[in-house]
Amino acid sequence: MSGIRAAVVTVSDGVSQGTRADGSGDAAEALLREAGFDVEARTVLPDERPAIEAALRELADSGGFALVVTTGGTGFGPRDVTPEATRAVLEREAPGLAELMRNEGLRQTPMAALSRAVAGSRGATLIVNLPGSPKGVRESLGALSPVLAHAVELLGGRTGAHPTGHADGDRGSPKGPAVAVGSVEAKAVKVHGSPPCSVGSSMRIVPGGEVHGTLGCAEFDEAAVRDAAEILASGQPGTRTYHHELGDVEVYLEPTHRAPTLVVVSATDVARELATLAPGLGFAPVLVETRSERVTDADAASMRVARELGEVEIDRETRLVFTDHDAPGIADALAVALRSPARFVGVMGSRRHVGPYVDELRSKGFGDEDLARIRSPLGLDLGGRSPAEIALSIAAGLVADEHDRAAGWLDR
């Protein structure tokens, strides 16, 4: 399962408040790593349904993780809401996986019958609820070990012949509608009656992602989370009134957009020229370079620098450009890119240079639709040869992609 990205979500009031160690999360991470998964994210949340739902959606939809396991909140306690939050996110349940875990638990203790854990899929992501104890985590993952790899492969693995060329039209990129990137600030500005909220209570909501703060009760928080996506997409602030049996609250919601990320892989002259153009085109550049000796002080001063592609959050508005076809680990990095929801993936180099990487990706299970997302040779046919001219060609291609124009791509 090497190269398969996994995330661990710990749901616990105690751990989130710092009064308990995250033993179950540590156990889950260790066992998944032993099984060969790349655990690239750890999240700790209180037992709050809106926060759990938002985190699971973010990890599946924007994070592009193949496997997300939660630990905690699956019992009969009044604040055990992980199964309810998970069911609200799942598109298809997998009851057999949950029964496998319960059956193994019953071999150890009859208390396992009290587990309400669920499992299922959202898109290409498998989501599994684990118990909230290290022992329970070990037992449950042990029960799933014979089938977990195959389940993930069935959800995300596709096979097929490598395309010999890139056709015009739809390239299989998961663009869909434009996705607003940013957050929404929700603040209570007026109360009527005696609702469980006071003026000034606030939340910061990343639609489909993190939620910070509270408006005072779960009903208000859930309503604000629902409205945040609409507010962010519209780009316009607005006021909403939320109702409670004890009174109402008027909430002001204000969107804050952030620039989509342009990831330039490898510290080359073309990458530096492209990073210089990025802000003017509305992108925030990030340099990914595994060879630290190639990164200059000027690079670090002008943009964020990451050592691995896995360190960069990739969402549906992220653009990735590989600027050195001879860099180490290109095929593995491209595999990460293709498993992500990134809007754009491009590789500099001729078909002869990029061909071996495509063959390697094919051997990893990527099919025609996946590989058609890679633009190579990269950029528009402007005839330039210098690093600045090549960067301009790539930047022009990004603009054409933004506006869904055919333009004059070099790979057509």
Side-chain angles (χ1 to χ4, degrees):
M1 298 306 296
S2 178
I4 303 299
R5 301 172 65 234
V8 177
V9 178
T10 299
V11 181
S12 166
D13 288 335
V15 176
S16 67
Q17 294 166 3
T19 60
R20 283 181 48 201
D22 188 11
S24 59
D26 292 341
E29 178 178 0
L31 289 167
L32 289 174
R33 289 192 183 281
E34 288 177 12
F37 288 89
D38 292 341
V39 180
E40 296 183 3
R42 287 279 299 272
T43 303
V44 176
L45 301 170
D47 292 276
E48 299 288 349
R49 180 170 169 176
I52 300 168
E53 290 182 23
L56 294 180
R57 288 192 179 96
E58 169 71 13
L59 291 168
D61 299 347
S62 299
F65 287 91
L67 174 66
V68 176
V69 300
T70 71
T71 171
T74 61
F76 271 40
R79 288 183 60 76
D80 289 337
V81 295
T82 302
E84 286 74 19
T86 304
R87 279 198 177 95
V89 170
L90 294 179
E91 295 171 347
R92 297 187 299 172
E93 280 200 50
L97 298 181
E99 293 309 315
L100 264 181
M101 294 187 291
R102 268 187 284 275
N103 287 338
E104 179 60 29
L106 287 169
R107 297 176 188 273
Q108 313 297 326
T109 172
M111 295 298 178
L114 301 180
S115 171
R116 301 184 303 111
V118 298
S121 62
R122 180 180 177 88
T125 301
L126 179 64
I127 302 175
V128 178
N129 294 160
L130 302 176
S133 69
K135 181 174 182 293
V137 167
R138 288 190 288 269
E139 291 171 356
S140 294
L141 282 179
L144 294 181
S145 61
V147 299
L148 192 58
H150 188 51
V152 171
E153 288 170 350
L154 288 174
L155 279 174
R158 291 190 294 268
T159 59
H162 164 53
T164 57
H166 298 295
D168 291 345
D170 183 14
R171 303 168 53 82
S173 176
K175 293 180 183 178
V179 177
V181 180
S183 62
V184 172
E185 184 78 14
K187 180 173 289 189
V189 295
K190 192 173 184 179
V191 297
H192 306 273
S194 303
C197 178
S198 57
V199 171
S201 297
S202 65
M203 301 173 66
R204 187 178 68 82
I205 303 163
V206 178
E210 299 175 353
V211 177
H212 300 276
T214 180
L215 294 176
C217 72
E219 290 91 337
F220 292 161
D221 291 352
E222 290 175 7
V225 169
R226 285 195 302 269
D227 290 338
E230 177 188 346
I231 290 291
L232 186 61
S234 71
Q236 299 297 318
T239 302
R240 300 288 189 275
T241 299
Y242 301 140
H243 306 285
H244 189 276
E245 60 183 8
L246 298 178
D248 301 335
V249 58
E250 293 182 24
V251 177
Y252 177 72
L253 298 104
E254 183 172 19
T256 300
H257 291 272
R258 66 177 174 85
T261 303
L262 171 61
V263 181
V264 286
V265 183
S266 299
T268 64
D269 289 341
V270 171
R272 294 179 179 105
E273 295 285 353
L274 188 57
T276 300
L277 295 171
L281 299 176
F283 298 111
V286 175
L287 173 65
V288 175
E289 178 57 84
T290 61
R291 301 159 293 184
S292 58
E293 69 278 5
R294 296 173 64 95
V295 180
T296 68
D297 292 341
D299 293 332
S302 61
M303 63 187 130
R304 177 189 166 195
V305 178
R307 290 292 303 274
E308 303 286 347
L309 189 55
E311 297 175 15
V312 181
E313 179 183 354
I314 302 175
D315 57 34
R316 287 184 60 189
E317 288 301 295
T318 301
R319 281 74 163 172
L320 295 107
V321 174
F322 292 76
T323 66
D324 182 359
H325 57 71
D326 289 326
I330 290 292
D332 289 338
L334 279 171
V336 172
L338 292 181
R339 292 190 185 104
S340 79
R343 179 187 174 105
F344 183 97
V345 180
V347 183
M348 285 181 56
S350 67
R351 295 175 187 269
R352 177 176 62 84
H353 287 120
V354 178
Y357 302 131
V358 173
D359 291 339
E360 189 172 346
L361 290 168
R362 181 181 173 186
S363 72
K364 293 176 181 289
F366 292 96
D368 289 2
E369 185 178 351
D370 302 306
L371 298 171
R373 292 176 59 193
I374 302 174
R375 298 213 83 115
S376 185
L378 180 60
L380 302 190
D381 188 4
L382 303 183
R385 293 291 182 267
S386 71
E389 291 171 333
I390 294 171
L392 178 61
S393 167
I394 296 171
L398 293 174
V399 173
D401 176 79
E402 173 72 20
H403 298 285
D404 291 321
R405 295 299 181 95
W409 289 93
L410 287 168
D411 62 352
R412 291 184 176 174

